[in-house]
Amino acid sequence: MKEFINNLTVREYELFRSRVMSNLNVTRTAFANWKAGQMPAKRFRAPLNAIAQEITGKTIFPE
């Protein structure tokens, strides 16, 4: 997740962060922890992949 976020453009990052926080009801702190390298819980991985796919065409976690 950290590598994926670090490779986003500024616009993609803003869009990704806002969609993740609103759609998954995730706090800024939780998102910041994921950005810093903490792995999200398994229940978030499929929705994170879906959001990433819509924005960048890439997935974060292997299926």
Side-chain angles (χ1 to χ4, degrees):
M1 177 99 172
K2 180 180 179 178
E3 184 179 326
F4 173 80
I5 291 173
N6 288 337
N7 289 323
L8 294 175
T9 65
V10 173
R11 179 70 185 128
E12 288 172 338
Y13 172 76
E14 294 288 331
L15 186 58
F16 181 73
R17 185 183 63 146
S18 66
R19 293 266 316 271
V20 167
M21 289 174 58
S22 65
N23 292 5
L24 304 181
N25 199 25
V26 173
T27 63
R28 280 186 105 124
T29 304
F31 187 85
N33 289 339
W34 295 348
K35 184 180 175 186
Q38 182 179 13
M39 286 294 286
K42 287 187 180 185
R43 70 176 188 258
F44 291 119
R45 293 181 189 171
L48 284 168
N49 271 343
I51 294 169
Q53 184 71 35
E54 289 175 24
I55 294 172
T56 66
K58 302 173 188 171
T59 56
I60 304 168
F61 305 102
E63 301 282 326

Coordinates of all heavy atoms in Angstrom, one line a residue:
M1 N 0.8 -1.2 0.0 CA 0.0 0.0 0.0 C 0.9 1.3 0.0 O 0.6 2.2 -0.7 CB -0.9 0.0 1.2 CG -1.8 1.2 1.4 SD -3.4 0.8 0.8 CE -4.2 2.3 1.3
K2 N 1.9 1.3 0.8 CA 2.8 2.4 0.9 C 3.4 2.7 -0.5 O 3.4 3.9 -0.9 CB 3.9 2.1 1.9 CG 4.9 3.3 2.1 CD 5.9 2.9 3.1 CE 6.9 4.1 3.2 NZ 8.0 3.8 4.3
E3 N 3.9 1.7 -1.2 CA 4.5 1.9 -2.5 C 3.5 2.4 -3.5 O 3.8 3.3 -4.3 CB 5.1 0.6 -3.0 CG 5.8 0.7 -4.3 CD 6.4 -0.6 -4.7 OE1 6.8 -1.4 -3.9 OE2 6.5 -0.8 -5.9
F4 N 2.3 1.9 -3.5 CA 1.2 2.3 -4.4 C 0.9 3.8 -4.1 O 0.9 4.6 -5.1 CB -0.1 1.5 -4.1 CG -1.3 2.0 -4.9 CD1 -1.4 1.7 -6.2 CD2 -2.2 2.8 -4.3 CE1 -2.5 2.2 -7.0 CE2 -3.3 3.3 -5.0 CZ -3.4 3.0 -6.3
I5 N 0.7 4.2 -2.9 CA 0.4 5.6 -2.6 C 1.5 6.5 -3.0 O 1.3 7.6 -3.5 CB 0.1 5.8 -1.1 CG1 -1.3 5.1 -0.8 CG2 0.0 7.2 -0.7 CD1 -1.6 5.0 0.7
N6 N 2.8 6.1 -2.8 CA 3.9 7.0 -3.1 C 4.1 7.2 -4.6 O 4.7 8.1 -5.0 CB 5.2 6.4 -2.5 CG 5.3 6.6 -1.0 OD1 4.6 7.5 -0.4 ND2 6.0 5.8 -0.3
N7 N 3.5 6.3 -5.4 CA 3.6 6.4 -6.9 C 2.5 7.1 -7.5 O 2.4 7.3 -8.7 CB 3.8 5.0 -7.5 CG 5.2 4.4 -7.2 OD1 6.2 5.1 -7.2 ND2 5.2 3.1 -6.9
L8 N 1.5 7.6 -6.7 CA 0.4 8.4 -7.3 C 0.8 9.8 -7.5 O 1.6 10.4 -6.9 CB -0.8 8.4 -6.2 CG -1.4 7.1 -5.9 CD1 -2.5 7.2 -4.8 CD2 -2.1 6.4 -7.2
T9 N 0.1 10.4 -8.6 CA 0.3 11.8 -8.8 C -0.5 12.6 -7.7 O -1.3 12.0 -6.9 CB -0.3 12.2 -10.1 OG1 -1.7 12.0 -10.1 CG2 0.3 11.5 -11.3
V10 N -0.3 13.8 -7.6 CA -0.9 14.6 -6.5 C -2.4 14.5 -6.7 O -3.2 14.3 -5.7 CB -0.5 16.1 -6.5 CG1 -1.3 16.9 -5.6 CG2 1.0 16.2 -6.2
R11 N -2.9 14.7 -7.9 CA -4.4 14.6 -8.1 C -4.9 13.2 -7.8 O -6.0 13.1 -7.2 CB -4.7 15.0 -9.6 CG -6.1 14.9 -10.0 CD -6.9 16.0 -9.3 NE -8.3 15.8 -9.6 CZ -9.2 15.8 -8.6 NH1 -8.9 16.0 -7.4 NH2 -10.5 15.6 -8.9
E12 N -4.2 12.2 -8.2 CA -4.7 10.8 -7.9 C -4.7 10.6 -6.4 O -5.6 9.9 -5.9 CB -3.8 9.8 -8.6 CG -3.9 9.7 -10.1 CD -2.9 8.8 -10.7 OE1 -1.8 8.6 -10.1 OE2 -3.1 8.3 -11.9
Y13 N -3.7 11.1 -5.7 CA -3.6 10.9 -4.3 C -4.8 11.5 -3.6 O -5.4 10.9 -2.7 CB -2.3 11.4 -3.7 CG -2.2 11.4 -2.2 CD1 -2.0 10.3 -1.5 CD2 -2.4 12.6 -1.5 CE1 -2.0 10.3 -0.1 CE2 -2.4 12.6 -0.1 CZ -2.2 11.5 0.5 OH -2.2 11.5 1.9
E14 N -5.1 12.8 -3.9 CA -6.2 13.5 -3.3 C -7.5 12.7 -3.6 O -8.3 12.6 -2.6 CB -6.3 14.9 -3.9 CG -5.1 15.8 -3.6 CD -5.1 16.2 -2.1 OE1 -6.2 16.3 -1.5 OE2 -4.0 16.5 -1.6
L15 N -7.7 12.3 -4.8 CA -8.9 11.6 -5.1 C -9.0 10.2 -4.4 O -10.0 9.9 -3.8 CB -9.0 11.4 -6.6 CG -10.3 10.7 -7.2 CD1 -11.5 11.6 -6.8 CD2 -10.1 10.6 -8.7
F16 N -7.9 9.5 -4.4 CA -7.8 8.2 -3.7 C -8.1 8.4 -2.2 O -8.9 7.7 -1.6 CB -6.5 7.6 -3.9 CG -6.3 6.2 -3.3 CD1 -7.0 5.1 -3.8 CD2 -5.5 6.0 -2.2 CE1 -6.8 3.8 -3.3 CE2 -5.4 4.8 -1.6 CZ -6.0 3.7 -2.1
R17 N -7.4 9.3 -1.6 CA -7.6 9.5 -0.1 C -9.0 9.9 0.2 O -9.6 9.3 1.1 CB -6.6 10.6 0.4 CG -6.7 10.8 1.9 CD -5.8 11.9 2.3 NE -6.3 13.1 1.7 CZ -6.3 14.3 2.3 NH1 -5.7 14.4 3.4 NH2 -6.8 15.3 1.7
S18 N -9.6 10.8 -0.5 CA -11.0 11.2 -0.2 C -12.0 10.1 -0.4 O -12.9 9.9 0.4 CB -11.4 12.5 -1.0 OG -11.4 12.2 -2.4
R19 N -11.8 9.3 -1.5 CA -12.7 8.2 -1.8 C -12.6 7.1 -0.7 O -13.6 6.6 -0.2 CB -12.4 7.6 -3.2 CG -12.7 8.5 -4.3 CD -14.1 8.3 -5.0 NE -14.5 7.0 -5.1 CZ -14.3 6.2 -6.2 NH1 -13.6 6.7 -7.2 NH2 -14.8 5.0 -6.3
V20 N -11.3 6.8 -0.3 CA -11.1 5.8 0.7 C -11.7 6.2 2.0 O -12.5 5.4 2.7 CB -9.6 5.5 0.9 CG1 -9.4 4.7 2.1 CG2 -9.1 4.7 -0.3
M21 N -11.5 7.4 2.4 CA -12.0 7.9 3.7 C -13.5 8.0 3.7 O -14.1 7.6 4.7 CB -11.4 9.3 4.0 CG -9.9 9.2 4.4 SD -9.1 10.8 4.6 CE -10.1 11.5 5.9
S22 N -14.2 8.4 2.6 CA -15.6 8.5 2.6 C -16.3 7.1 2.4 O -17.2 6.8 3.1 CB -16.1 9.5 1.6 OG -15.8 9.1 0.3
N23 N -15.8 6.4 1.4 CA -16.5 5.1 1.1 C -16.2 4.0 2.1 O -17.1 3.2 2.4 CB -15.9 4.6 -0.3 CG -16.4 5.4 -1.4 OD1 -17.0 6.5 -1.3 ND2 -16.0 5.0 -2.6
L24 N -15.1 4.0 2.7 CA -14.8 2.9 3.7 C -14.9 3.4 5.1 O -14.7 2.7 6.1 CB -13.3 2.4 3.5 CG -13.0 1.9 2.1 CD1 -11.6 1.4 2.0 CD2 -14.0 0.8 1.7
N25 N -15.3 4.7 5.3 CA -15.5 5.3 6.6 C -14.2 5.1 7.5 O -14.2 4.6 8.6 CB -16.7 4.6 7.4 CG -17.2 5.5 8.5 OD1 -16.9 6.7 8.5 ND2 -17.8 4.9 9.5
V26 N -13.1 5.5 6.9 CA -11.8 5.4 7.5 C -11.3 6.8 8.0 O -11.5 7.8 7.3 CB -10.8 4.8 6.5 CG1 -9.3 4.9 7.0 CG2 -11.2 3.4 6.1
T27 N -10.7 6.9 9.1 CA -10.2 8.1 9.7 C -8.9 8.5 9.0 O -8.3 7.7 8.3 CB -9.9 8.0 11.2 OG1 -8.9 7.1 11.4 CG2 -11.2 7.6 11.9
R28 N -8.6 9.8 9.1 CA -7.3 10.3 8.6 C -6.1 9.6 9.2 O -5.1 9.3 8.5 CB -7.2 11.8 8.8 CG -7.9 12.7 7.9 CD -7.5 14.1 8.3 NE -6.7 14.6 7.2 CZ -6.9 15.7 6.5 NH1 -8.0 16.4 6.7 NH2 -6.0 16.1 5.6
T29 N -6.3 9.3 10.5 CA -5.2 8.6 11.2 C -5.0 7.2 10.6 O -3.8 6.8 10.3 CB -5.5 8.5 12.7 OG1 -5.7 9.8 13.2 CG2 -4.4 7.8 13.4
A30 N -6.1 6.5 10.4 CA -5.9 5.1 9.8 C -5.3 5.2 8.4 O -4.4 4.4 8.0 CB -7.3 4.4 9.7
F31 N -5.8 6.2 7.6 CA -5.2 6.3 6.2 C -3.7 6.7 6.3 O -2.9 6.1 5.6 CB -5.9 7.4 5.4 CG -5.5 7.4 4.0 CD1 -6.1 6.6 3.1 CD2 -4.5 8.3 3.6 CE1 -5.6 6.6 1.7 CE2 -4.1 8.3 2.3 CZ -4.6 7.5 1.4
A32 N -3.3 7.5 7.2 CA -1.9 7.9 7.4 C -1.1 6.7 7.8 O 0.0 6.5 7.4 CB -1.8 9.0 8.4
N33 N -1.7 5.8 8.7 CA -1.0 4.6 9.1 C -0.7 3.7 7.9 O 0.3 3.1 7.7 CB -1.7 3.9 10.2 CG -1.7 4.6 11.5 OD1 -0.8 5.4 11.7 ND2 -2.6 4.3 12.4
W34 N -1.7 3.6 7.0 CA -1.6 2.8 5.8 C -0.5 3.4 4.9 O 0.3 2.7 4.3 CB -2.9 2.6 5.1 CG -4.0 1.9 5.8 CD1 -3.8 1.2 7.0 CD2 -5.4 1.9 5.5 NE1 -5.1 0.7 7.3 CE2 -6.0 1.1 6.4 CE3 -6.1 2.4 4.5 CZ2 -7.4 0.8 6.4 CZ3 -7.5 2.1 4.4 CH2 -8.1 1.3 5.4
K35 N -0.5 4.7 4.8 CA 0.4 5.4 3.9 C 1.9 5.2 4.5 O 2.8 5.1 3.7 CB 0.1 6.9 3.9 CG 1.0 7.6 3.0 CD 0.6 9.1 2.9 CE 1.6 9.8 2.1 NZ 1.4 11.3 2.1
A36 N 2.0 5.1 5.8 CA 3.3 4.9 6.4 C 3.8 3.4 6.4 O 4.9 3.2 6.7 CB 3.2 5.3 7.9
G37 N 2.9 2.5 5.9 CA 3.3 1.2 5.7 C 2.6 0.1 6.5 O 2.8 -1.1 6.3
Q38 N 1.7 0.5 7.4 CA 0.9 -0.5 8.1 C -0.1 -1.1 7.1 O -0.7 -0.5 6.3 CB 0.1 0.2 9.2 CG -0.7 -0.8 10.1 CD -1.5 0.0 11.2 OE1 -1.5 1.2 11.2 NE2 -2.0 -0.8 12.1
M39 N -0.3 -2.4 7.2 CA -1.2 -3.2 6.3 C -2.6 -3.0 6.8 O -2.9 -3.1 8.0 CB -0.9 -4.6 6.3 CG 0.4 -5.0 5.5 SD 0.2 -4.7 3.8 CE -0.9 -6.0 3.3
P40 N -3.5 -2.7 5.8 CA -5.0 -2.6 6.2 C -5.5 -4.0 6.5 O -5.0 -5.0 6.1 CB -5.6 -2.0 4.9 CG -4.6 -1.8 4.0 CD -3.3 -2.3 4.5
A41 N -6.6 -4.0 7.3 CA -7.3 -5.2 7.6 C -7.8 -5.9 6.3 O -8.0 -5.2 5.3 CB -8.5 -5.0 8.5
K42 N -7.9 -7.2 6.3 CA -8.3 -7.9 5.1 C -9.6 -7.5 4.6 O -9.8 -7.5 3.4 CB -8.3 -9.4 5.4 CG -6.9 -10.0 5.5 CD -7.0 -11.5 5.6 CE -5.5 -12.0 5.8 NZ -5.5 -13.5 5.8
R43 N -10.5 -7.0 5.4 CA -11.9 -6.6 5.0 C -11.8 -5.4 4.1 O -12.7 -5.1 3.3 CB -12.8 -6.4 6.1 CG -12.5 -5.2 7.0 CD -13.5 -5.0 8.1 NE -13.3 -3.8 8.8 CZ -12.8 -3.7 10.0 NH1 -12.4 -4.7 10.6 NH2 -12.6 -2.5 10.5
F44 N -10.7 -4.6 4.2 CA -10.6 -3.4 3.4 C -9.9 -3.6 2.1 O -9.9 -2.7 1.2 CB -9.8 -2.3 4.2 CG -10.5 -1.7 5.4 CD1 -10.0 -1.9 6.6 CD2 -11.7 -1.1 5.2 CE1 -10.6 -1.4 7.8 CE2 -12.4 -0.5 6.3 CZ -11.8 -0.7 7.6
R45 N -9.2 -4.7 1.9 CA -8.4 -4.9 0.7 C -9.1 -4.9 -0.6 O -8.7 -4.3 -1.6 CB -7.5 -6.1 0.9 CG -6.5 -5.9 2.1 CD -5.6 -7.0 2.3 NE -4.8 -6.8 3.5 CZ -4.1 -7.7 4.1 NH1 -3.9 -8.9 3.6 NH2 -3.4 -7.4 5.2
A46 N -10.2 -5.6 -0.7 CA -11.0 -5.7 -1.9 C -11.6 -4.3 -2.3 O -11.4 -3.9 -3.4 CB -12.1 -6.7 -1.8
P47 N -12.2 -3.6 -1.3 CA -12.6 -2.2 -1.6 C -11.5 -1.3 -2.0 O -11.7 -0.5 -2.9 CB -13.3 -1.8 -0.4 CG -13.7 -3.0 0.4 CD -12.6 -4.0 0.0
L48 N -10.4 -1.4 -1.4 CA -9.2 -0.6 -1.7 C -8.8 -0.9 -3.2 O -8.4 0.0 -3.9 CB -8.0 -0.8 -0.8 CG -8.2 -0.1 0.6 CD1 -7.2 -0.7 1.6 CD2 -8.1 1.4 0.5
N49 N -8.7 -2.1 -3.5 CA -8.4 -2.5 -4.9 C -9.4 -1.9 -5.9 O -9.0 -1.5 -7.0 CB -8.3 -4.0 -5.0 CG -7.0 -4.6 -4.7 OD1 -6.0 -3.9 -4.7 ND2 -6.9 -5.9 -4.5
A50 N -10.6 -2.0 -5.6 CA -11.7 -1.5 -6.5 C -11.5 0.1 -6.7 O -11.5 0.5 -7.8 CB -13.1 -1.7 -5.9
I51 N -11.2 0.8 -5.6 CA -11.0 2.2 -5.7 C -9.8 2.5 -6.5 O -9.7 3.4 -7.4 CB -11.0 2.9 -4.3 CG1 -12.3 2.8 -3.6 CG2 -10.6 4.4 -4.5 CD1 -12.3 3.2 -2.2
A52 N -8.7 1.8 -6.2 CA -7.4 2.0 -6.9 C -7.6 1.7 -8.4 O -7.0 2.4 -9.3 CB -6.3 1.1 -6.3
Q53 N -8.3 0.6 -8.7 CA -8.6 0.2 -10.1 C -9.3 1.3 -10.9 O -9.0 1.6 -12.0 CB -9.4 -1.1 -10.2 CG -9.6 -1.6 -11.5 CD -8.3 -2.2 -12.2 OE1 -7.5 -2.8 -11.5 NE2 -8.2 -2.0 -13.5
E54 N -10.3 1.9 -10.2 CA -11.1 3.0 -10.9 C -10.2 4.2 -11.1 O -10.4 4.9 -12.2 CB -12.3 3.4 -10.0 CG -13.4 2.4 -9.9 CD -14.5 2.7 -8.9 OE1 -14.6 4.0 -8.7 OE2 -15.2 1.8 -8.5
I55 N -9.4 4.6 -10.2 CA -8.6 5.8 -10.3 C -7.3 5.6 -11.2 O -7.1 6.5 -12.1 CB -8.2 6.3 -8.9 CG1 -9.4 6.7 -8.2 CG2 -7.2 7.5 -9.0 CD1 -9.2 7.1 -6.7
T56 N -6.6 4.5 -11.1 CA -5.3 4.4 -11.7 C -5.3 3.2 -12.7 O -4.4 3.1 -13.5 CB -4.2 4.1 -10.7 OG1 -4.4 2.9 -10.1 CG2 -4.1 5.2 -9.7
G57 N -6.2 2.3 -12.7 CA -6.2 1.1 -13.5 C -5.3 0.0 -12.9 O -5.1 -1.0 -13.6
K58 N -4.8 0.2 -11.7 CA -3.9 -0.8 -11.1 C -4.5 -1.2 -9.8 O -5.4 -0.5 -9.2 CB -2.5 -0.1 -10.8 CG -1.8 0.4 -12.0 CD -0.6 1.2 -11.5 CE 0.0 1.9 -12.7 NZ 1.1 2.8 -12.3
T59 N -4.1 -2.4 -9.3 CA -4.6 -2.9 -8.0 C -3.4 -2.8 -7.0 O -2.2 -2.8 -7.4 CB -5.1 -4.4 -8.1 OG1 -4.0 -5.2 -8.7 CG2 -6.3 -4.5 -9.0
I60 N -3.8 -2.8 -5.8 CA -2.8 -2.7 -4.7 C -2.4 -4.1 -4.2 O -1.2 -4.4 -4.1 CB -3.3 -1.9 -3.5 CG1 -3.8 -0.5 -4.0 CG2 -2.3 -1.8 -2.4 CD1 -4.6 0.2 -3.0
F61 N -3.4 -4.9 -3.9 CA -3.2 -6.2 -3.4 C -3.5 -7.3 -4.4 O -4.5 -7.2 -5.1 CB -4.1 -6.4 -2.1 CG -3.9 -5.3 -1.1 CD1 -4.9 -4.3 -1.0 CD2 -2.8 -5.3 -0.3 CE1 -4.7 -3.3 -0.1 CE2 -2.6 -4.3 0.7 CZ -3.6 -3.3 0.8
P62 N -2.6 -8.3 -4.5 CA -2.9 -9.4 -5.4 C -4.2 -10.2 -4.9 O -4.4 -10.3 -3.8 CB -1.7 -10.3 -5.3 CG -0.9 -9.9 -4.1 CD -1.4 -8.5 -3.7
E63 N -4.9 -10.6 -5.9 CA -6.2 -11.3 -5.6 C -5.9 -12.8 -5.2 O -5.0 -13.4 -5.6 CB -7.1 -11.4 -6.8 CG -7.4 -10.0 -7.3 CD -8.5 -9.3 -6.5 OE1 -9.4 -10.0 -6.0 OE2 -8.5 -8.1 -6.3

